[in-house]
Amino acid sequence: MQGMLTEIRIAGFGGQGVILAAAVIGKAAAIFEGGYATMTQSFGPEARGGSSSAQVILSSEPILYPYVTLPDVLVVMSQEAYTRFSSQLKPGGVLIVEQDLVRVDQVTPGHSVFAVPATRLAERLGRKVVLNIVMVGFFGAVAALVDREALRQAVADSVPPAMQALNLQAFDKGFEYGAQLMQKLAEDGQSEGILSLDLEVEV
Amino acid sequence: MQGMLTEIRIAGFGGQGVILAAAVIGKAAAIFEGGYATMTQSFGPEARGGSSSAQVILSSEPILYPYVTLPDVLVVMSQEAYTRFSSQLKPGGVLIVEQDLVRVDQVTPGHSVFAVPATRLAERLGRKVVLNIVMVGFFGAVAALVDREALRQAVADSVPPAMQALNLQAFDKGFEYGAQLMQKLAEDGQSEGILSLDLEVEV
């Protein structure tokens, strides 16, 4: 019998950095908060076609069985990933989408759906390639499962030294965008539909 | 009961791209050769200190239990990783080391030890950051578990478009270095000790 597990799936296309995003979350939870995590990626015939997905399990105890069944949090960065995985989200689960890459057809009652223009925020830093770390920052602010500083440290530890400054900026940009969204939702009392900020808000 | 499994562990420091290297190998085996693979990274208190390691399992059938027990192939990119994992290599196993980062104390009888100056080869391409993909190329040539073209395609699919050309060059550089080493060993009839080329050989 295992303790309480939290399951997260991150999915998108190959090259978007899905795996690095998953590894950062696992590392943050485990190393900096004294817990345990596993990150698993499975490859098989269904993985043809350039999609990429990874599973992260967070636990207070060593993890005996690292397969995700139904995720508590689903982070998607492509329409294909949304189509494939959104029906697996647990009741009460959190769906996080890249808002320019994913059109959400309908919001399942009981799910919270948060949208972030991570590609555009990454482009503002001059490097679209860090959209995955913008997503991690946004995840940090809206899912509130893992401490901000722990995530930030895990970002720094997971990229080459020459890329640290850029990736930390990307993380902060995503986190601040998410924090601003959460504040606006609290002020407005909004909790239904697709929860997003107007990008024109300066972040 | 599962079919024949091949287990590979890749280990080094955080930021070296251990996970991407593992994911490329898993993807190559599964997608392009119609097999299955899993890539797993575990995080716990022992992961403090900036080390990074990932496990890949290759199989002809879906994988039920994704934990590596004793690897058939161990790829190490740091001294700490060598110290921690080298005793776990299976009898008859293959050890692949980054030769400037790892000092091999002694070669266990029955193990094959191959060394590659991946950092220097990556530096010749102007970007030390691709040392992980040089290692994947070298692994492809010396372990001969996964088809060269499949690995190459998996590299292309796993990095952002702007980084493809550089990563493919890194892959080819590592593969060619490994192929040249294997040819030299066949000519010399050498199979013991630490198997490496003089770097001054032009590759």
Side-chain angles (χ1 to χ4, degrees):
Chain A
M1 182 68 187
Q2 297 200 345
M4 191 73 164
L5 301 178
T6 302
E7 306 183 352
I8 302 159
R9 183 182 282 275
I10 304 182
F13 347 103
Q16 276 183 325
V18 162
I19 307 169
L20 180 62
V24 164
I25 294 169
K27 188 162 195 166
I31 298 182
F32 299 99
E33 302 193 332
Y36 294 82
T38 60
M39 189 270 284
T40 304
Q41 195 177 23
S42 298
F43 304 93
E46 81 291 352
R48 288 171 200 268
S51 65
S52 177
S53 96
Q55 310 151 309
V56 184
I57 303 181
L58 311 181
S59 171
S60 54
E61 298 169 30
I63 295 163
L64 304 175
Y65 184 69
Y67 281 120
V68 168
T69 50
L70 295 176
D72 298 279
V73 181
L74 174 63
V75 179
V76 293
M77 300 194 263
S78 75
Q79 192 67 31
E80 184 185 340
Y82 170 75
T83 303
R84 180 157 167 224
F85 295 112
S86 60
S87 64
Q88 297 177 9
L89 189 62
K90 267 189 198 154
V94 170
L95 173 63
I96 295 174
V97 303
E98 205 295 339
Q99 77 185 44
D100 297 328
L101 298 175
V102 179
R103 191 174 41 77
V104 175
D105 302 324
Q106 77 177 81
V107 176
T108 304
H111 287 171
S112 302
V113 183
F114 296 95
V116 57
T119 305
R120 279 186 280 159
L121 293 173
E123 280 168 353
R124 287 189 186 177
L125 298 172
R127 291 295 300 277
K128 186 174 156 184
V129 71
V130 293
L131 90 100
N132 60 334
I133 302 299
V134 175
M135 295 295 292
V136 169
F138 185 75
F139 160 88
V142 306
L145 285 168
V146 184
D147 177 66
R148 177 180 184 163
E149 279 312 307
L151 279 168
R152 207 170 185 281
Q153 188 59 49
V155 170
D157 281 4
S158 302
V159 301
M163 300 290 279
Q164 277 182 8
L166 173 67
N167 279 278
L168 289 172
Q169 278 184 295
F171 174 79
D172 289 338
K173 196 121 189 145
F175 193 96
E176 283 154 23
Y177 192 91
Q180 203 170 338
L181 171 58
M182 296 309 280
Q183 187 183 341
K184 176 171 172 290
L185 297 175
E187 284 165 6
D188 297 355
Q190 193 194 347
S191 65
E192 302 211 328
I194 299 170
L195 306 171
S196 65
L197 275 183
D198 182 343
L199 184 61
E200 300 319 312
V201 172
E202 202 48 59
V203 286
Chain B
M1 180 69 186
Q2 296 200 346
M4 190 72 166
L5 301 178
T6 302
E7 305 183 353
I8 302 159
R9 182 182 282 275
I10 305 182
F13 348 103
Q16 276 183 325
V18 162
I19 307 170
L20 180 63
V24 164
I25 294 169
K27 187 161 196 168
I31 298 182
F32 300 99
E33 303 193 331
Y36 294 82
T38 60
M39 189 270 284
T40 305
Q41 195 177 23
S42 298
F43 304 93
E46 80 292 352
R48 290 170 199 268
S51 66
S52 177
S53 96
Q55 311 151 308
V56 184
I57 303 180
L58 311 180
S59 172
S60 55
E61 298 168 30
I63 295 163
L64 304 175
Y65 183 69
Y67 281 119
V68 167
T69 51
L70 294 177
D72 298 279
V73 180
L74 173 64
V75 178
V76 292
M77 299 194 262
S78 74
Q79 192 66 32
E80 184 184 340
Y82 171 75
T83 303
R84 181 158 167 223
F85 294 113
S86 60
S87 64
Q88 298 177 7
L89 190 61
K90 265 190 198 153
V94 171
L95 173 64
I96 296 174
V97 304
E98 205 296 339
Q99 75 185 43
D100 297 329
L101 298 175
V102 179
R103 189 173 43 77
V104 175
D105 301 323
Q106 77 177 81
V107 176
T108 304
H111 288 171
S112 303
V113 183
F114 297 94
V116 57
T119 306
R120 279 185 281 159
L121 293 172
E123 281 168 352
R124 286 190 187 177
L125 297 172
R127 291 294 301 276
K128 187 175 157 185
V129 73
V130 293
L131 90 100
N132 60 333
I133 302 299
V134 175
M135 295 295 293
V136 170
F138 186 75
F139 159 89
V142 306
L145 286 168
V146 184
D147 177 67
R148 177 179 185 163
E149 279 313 308
L151 279 168
R152 208 170 185 281
Q153 188 58 50
V155 169
D157 281 4
S158 302
V159 301
M163 300 290 280
Q164 276 182 9
L166 173 67
N167 280 279
L168 290 172
Q169 278 183 296
F171 175 79
D172 288 339
K173 196 119 189 147
F175 193 96
E176 283 154 23
Y177 191 91
Q180 204 169 336
L181 171 58
M182 297 308 279
Q183 188 183 339
K184 177 171 174 289
L185 297 175
E187 284 166 5
D188 296 355
Q190 193 193 347
S191 65
E192 302 210 328
I194 299 169
L195 307 171
S196 65
L197 275 183
D198 182 343
L199 183 63
E200 300 319 311
V201 172
E202 202 47 60
V203 286

